[in-house]
Amino acid sequence: MNKLKIGITSGDINGIGLEVILKVLSLKEIRLKADFYLFSSPEIITIHQKSIKSEVVPFFNVQPGGNLEPGIIGLCDPWDRSFNVQFGIQNNEGGIAAFDSLDFACSSIENKKIDALITAPLCKANIPQSKYLDFKGHTEYLANRFNSSTMMIMTADKTRVALASDHIPLSEISETVNVSYLNKKIDEFNLALKFDFDISNPKIAILGLNPHAGDGGKIGLEEKNTIIPCIQLKRKEGIIAHGPFPSDSFFGKKLYLQFDGVLAIYHDQGLIPFKMLYFEKGVNNTCGLPFIRTSPDHGVAFDIAGQNLADETSFRESIFDAIKRTKARQEYTA
């Protein structure tokens, strides 16, 4: 099997994205695991390299997917201009650089030059409207660009927490997550666990929406009217689905360890416990795309940018996940 070709976006150039990228890629044993293509420029890399205490990463300017010597990182410049790096500063310069890096990487995916994508953190508020109207984040952008129904799955060790809904207001959750919607999300999660994580017959836990999972209808009816009927239908279809579980006791009693995947109904219900458990090593996986996309589970961290303080563990795990999931998908479809 040929080496996988993996693209890496720069993220916001004023944040910690390039710091964690360079720290991980400074290790030759990591660089040898695949051919990596970083969508950034020599100028920006030099600035970030000077701010950290790790070995200098060997780069070679190349077009996406071009031939690389073992252990050499391909540098693919997505910009036709210079940028002024201002560590820790939230501005449109950082947003434009991040978006252009993402855009070039996506074009490389579309042109089949790279096999998988790892995205470094960006700041949504920094993306100008002129670049992308109402930019809500990587997940939504990739879903729209590749015409895909996507799902965010956070992973660490053998824990996988998926979100039935991600970046939507809490006030819209009950209306959004209806029977049809939830049925579809359970199907997508089940398929992703098989397709990308190589689990032949996944066991899935579904969390409730209301406190105490509705307490028999006394604290909301979403469980009785939506979640329980969906679970019953999925079980009849052969999917091993259980619940609904109250989120607090489910994570407090470590019941998540008994399941291959956990489906949270809304964003913070899943991400707060996950990040408390695995913040420095968790990986954000976007499933449902025609390629594998991963990212670290942290943001731009402007408060520590340029200070050599960022922990690179989550980015390293993002590389491992991208490789494992790409291989799992290739084997599943072989």
Side-chain angles (χ1 to χ4, degrees), residues 164-165 168 172-186 209 222 225-227 229-230 265:
S165 60
I168 65 173
E172 298 175 11
I173 298 297
S174 182
E175 181 180 352
T176 300
V177 185
N178 54 36
V179 171
S180 175
Y181 181 97
L182 187 56
N183 272 327
K184 182 171 177 285
K185 288 300 177 181
I186 296 173
L209 172 62
E222 286 83 1
N225 294 342
T226 302
I227 301 175
C230 286
I265 303 302

Side-chain angles (χ1 to χ4, degrees), residues 117-149:
L117 180 64
I118 305 173
T119 57
L122 53 70
C123 178
K124 303 174 186 67
N126 288 1
I127 308 296
Q129 294 282 306
S130 59
K131 280 288 179 184
Y132 191 83
L133 184 64
D134 194 26
F135 185 89
K136 293 182 178 179
H138 282 111
T139 304
E140 292 83 355
Y141 174 79
L142 292 170
N144 182 69
R145 179 152 181 169
F146 292 93
N147 193 29
S148 302
S149 178

Side-chain angles (χ1 to χ4, degrees), residues 150-170:
T150 60
M151 171 173 281
M152 185 185 297
I153 304 179
M154 307 299 294
T155 65
D157 298 333
K158 293 184 178 180
T159 300
R160 304 167 191 90
V161 178
L163 305 182
S165 60
D166 37 58
H167 298 137
I168 65 173
L170 195 58

Side-chain angles (χ1 to χ4, degrees), residues 183-251:
N183 272 327
K184 182 171 177 285
K185 288 300 177 181
I186 296 173
D187 286 341
E188 289 176 353
F189 191 25
N190 185 64
L191 181 61
L193 291 170
K194 291 182 176 182
F195 194 50
D196 291 346
F197 295 97
D198 198 26
I199 302 171
S200 58
N201 205 17
K203 183 180 178 183
I204 299 172
I206 316 293
L207 301 182
L209 172 62
N210 296 297
H212 307 293
D215 201 7
K218 294 181 180 179
I219 315 176
L221 297 173
E222 286 83 1
E223 285 77 14
K224 290 183 68 175
N225 294 342
T226 302
I227 301 175
I228 292 174
C230 286
I231 292 173
Q232 292 173 340
L233 175 61
K234 294 298 109 179
R235 289 177 70 89
K236 288 179 181 178
E237 294 176 353
I239 293 177
I240 306 174
H242 296 267
F245 296 98
S247 182
D248 54 354
S249 60
F250 181 83
F251 285 101

